[in-house]
Amino acid sequence: MNAKIAVLAGDGVGREIVPEAVKVLKVVAERHGHTFEFIPGNVGGHAIDKVGVPLPAETLAIAKHSDAVLLGAVGGPKWEGLEYSLRPERALLGLREQLGLYANLRPAKLYPMLADASTLRRDVIEGIDMLVIRELTGGIYFGKPKGIEPLPGGGERGFNTEVYTTEEIRRIAVVAFDAARKRRKKVTSVDKANVLESSELWRRVVTDVHRGYPDVALSHIYVDNCAMQLVRNPRQFDVLLCNNIFGDILSDEAAMLTGSIGMLPSASVGAKVGLFEPIHGSAPDIAGKNIANPIATIASAAMMLSYAFQLDKEAAAIEQAIVKTLELGFRTKDIHAEGMQLVGTVEMGDAIVRNLPS
Ligand code: NAD
């Protein structure tokens, strides 16, 4: 296939890890007979330095006219004093909004050789392989009315509104059931239907969408029980379908089950162009030293192949190469342990390229 990929490296370690993912994608394209065109764009603090805004119109146009966007990270101490609307992080909000990205997908998968990096016991976390799907553009973070208002008798009242429409629930449920079909075909929908009306509708619509997916198993779980089950028996989950606020919290909980932040990819998808990025930030404390772990970004590139281009075989090849590289003992500093071979960002990227199945 031919595909245009917008490459927005951004700031800090973004500028080191994104080239490693591009390196891997180039070799995969060559081996499997695809043509990927990589179109670089300025974003975040880097864009502020060059043209004065975190998301230049040119970058947005590049993203919109691409088939997918690969992003590194944005932000850093240099831009922290700026007014909120000019901060690098605003670029992410702008991209999400402009690309209509309503679903965030975060896999939490344990690489067995890294089990000791988790704070949980090996027997609890071994075999974890789940995908948390979070609704991104609705719910209590955006619902109206919201605000803080004075009370007549003194004091104030702060309020937000949890609101979902049938259509918002339907489209995120479709993402979850479609994703489950690529995996173990099991969706667990998270809600608080015993207390919240918005959750009652959520449960009803998800159940309704499920009728079109008889090959996928659906169960429902209350959010408080889900938070507990994630640390008690996380292996039971395949796809976890969440609204915005529950997904915000549970995706971080799920991520931490597996250990290092440098290993965790993500995808945000919507109507057309999807955005693929590691979950971590620009890590200014380690930037420019060739020590950042590029695996989260390389795994994000694998998600791009699977979710944006339906190239599941090619995505699996990248996953296999990551596993083999770890099995061979290659480790960046963040996941290093005694007896393992300490390598830098570039060397880790090279090793993953070498270990791609031919
Ligand atoms: P961070 O994720 O950048 O770093 C947290 C810790 O994890 C640091 O110790 C860092 O060294 C380590 N780490 C992160 N990525 C790593 C990697 N690939 N390899 C090895 N270690 C890694 O979070 P932070 O320090 O809170 O934020 C730094 C900047 O990034 C801030 O400006 C913040 O706003 C921004 N940020 C951006 C995004 C994004 O672009 N999506 C996300 C979160 C934070």
Side-chain angles (χ1 to χ4, degrees):
M1 75 173 294
N2 294 338
K4 274 192 192 160
I5 302 172
V7 180
L8 313 182
D11 306 318
V13 296
R15 310 202 72 74
E16 301 169 71
I17 53 186
V18 167
E20 297 312 307
V22 170
K23 189 157 86 184
V24 173
L25 284 171
K26 280 184 176 162
V27 176
V28 169
E30 205 182 284
R31 296 238 173 113
H32 294 262
H34 306 301
T35 307
F36 295 154
E37 187 187 343
F38 298 95
I39 308 148
N42 296 314
V43 76
H46 199 71
I48 294 173
D49 288 351
K50 285 207 154 167
V51 294
V53 289
L55 181 60
E58 191 195 345
T59 303
L60 192 56
I62 291 173
K64 280 187 171 170
H65 295 113
S66 298
D67 298 302
V69 180
L70 180 67
L71 188 117
V74 296
K78 184 175 174 192
W79 305 281
E80 265 163 23
L82 291 174
E83 181 204 320
Y84 187 66
S85 66
L86 283 177
R87 295 256 187 100
E89 292 79 358
R90 292 294 300 178
L92 295 178
L93 299 179
L95 278 169
R96 275 184 200 162
E97 195 181 296
Q98 293 289 321
L99 298 177
L101 305 174
Y102 57 79
N104 182 242
L105 284 65
R106 273 208 208 173
K109 176 174 162 178
L110 185 80
Y111 294 99
M113 59 299 264
L114 298 182
D116 295 332
S118 174
T119 50
L120 295 191
R121 280 199 329 256
R122 179 181 275 273
D123 61 302
V124 175
I125 54 167
E126 227 155 28
I128 291 179
D129 182 3
M130 74 180 91
L131 178 68
V132 182
I133 298 192
R134 168 187 171 192
E135 201 287 329
L136 262 192
T137 54
I140 198 162
Y141 296 160
F142 297 95
K144 289 189 179 127
K146 62 175 176 180
I148 302 176
E149 61 186 22
L151 285 172
E156 290 176 295
R157 171 177 174 267
F159 53 99
N160 293 85
T161 306
E162 167 75 3
V163 54
Y164 273 106
T165 63
T166 307
E167 177 50 25
E168 284 174 322
I169 303 168
R170 193 200 58 78
R171 65 185 188 180
I172 190 82
V174 166
V175 172
F177 287 117
D178 283 345
R181 278 190 167 157
K182 287 180 184 276
R183 300 171 47 92
R184 299 196 306 281
K185 299 191 170 58
K186 200 175 144 193
V187 171
T188 308
S189 175
V190 180
D191 63 39
K192 190 73 183 170
N194 49 343
V195 185
L196 302 174
E197 280 77 5
S198 59
S199 272
E200 197 184 311
L201 181 67
W202 179 278
R203 191 175 279 217
R204 208 172 344 117
V205 176
V206 171
T207 305
D208 199 39
V209 174
H210 178 231
R211 286 188 232 289
Y213 295 83
D215 52 322
V216 178
L218 170 68
S219 58
H220 303 275
I221 190 168
Y222 295 138
V223 62
D224 44 342
N225 185 22
C226 186
M228 201 167 67
Q229 294 298 330
L230 272 173
V231 286
R232 187 177 164 270
N233 176 20
R235 262 190 303 272
Q236 68 185 288
F237 297 119
D238 178 18
V239 174
L240 264 186
L241 168 60
C242 309
N243 71 7
N244 202 342
I245 187 167
F246 296 161
D248 190 2
I249 299 163
L250 295 178
S251 61
D252 271 13
E253 189 189 354
M256 280 326 291
L257 299 173
T258 64
S260 172
I261 193 164
M263 304 288 298
L264 297 163
S266 80
S268 299
V269 300
K272 197 175 156 262
V273 184
L275 176 81
F276 301 83
E277 58 177 334
I279 73 160
H280 62 74
S282 58
D285 52 331
I286 58 165
K289 299 180 180 160
N290 190 39
I291 54 176
N293 187 343
I295 292 180
T297 314
I298 294 170
S300 301
M303 286 189 87
M304 171 190 291
L305 296 184
S306 175
Y307 290 96
F309 307 150
Q310 313 306 324
L311 297 176
D312 292 335
K313 201 167 59 159
E314 290 80 346
I318 296 181
E319 283 294 335
Q320 272 175 42
I322 293 172
V323 171
K324 186 162 175 211
T325 304
L326 293 169
E327 274 170 0
L328 289 171
F330 289 84
R331 298 284 189 276
T332 42
K333 194 165 171 233
D334 55 312
I335 51 172
H336 188 245
E338 221 181 298
M340 298 294 146
Q341 186 176 347
L342 181 63
V343 293
T345 312
V346 174
E347 294 71 32
M348 181 59 100
D350 289 343
I352 291 172
V353 165
R354 265 199 315 279
N355 291 318
L356 282 166
S358 45

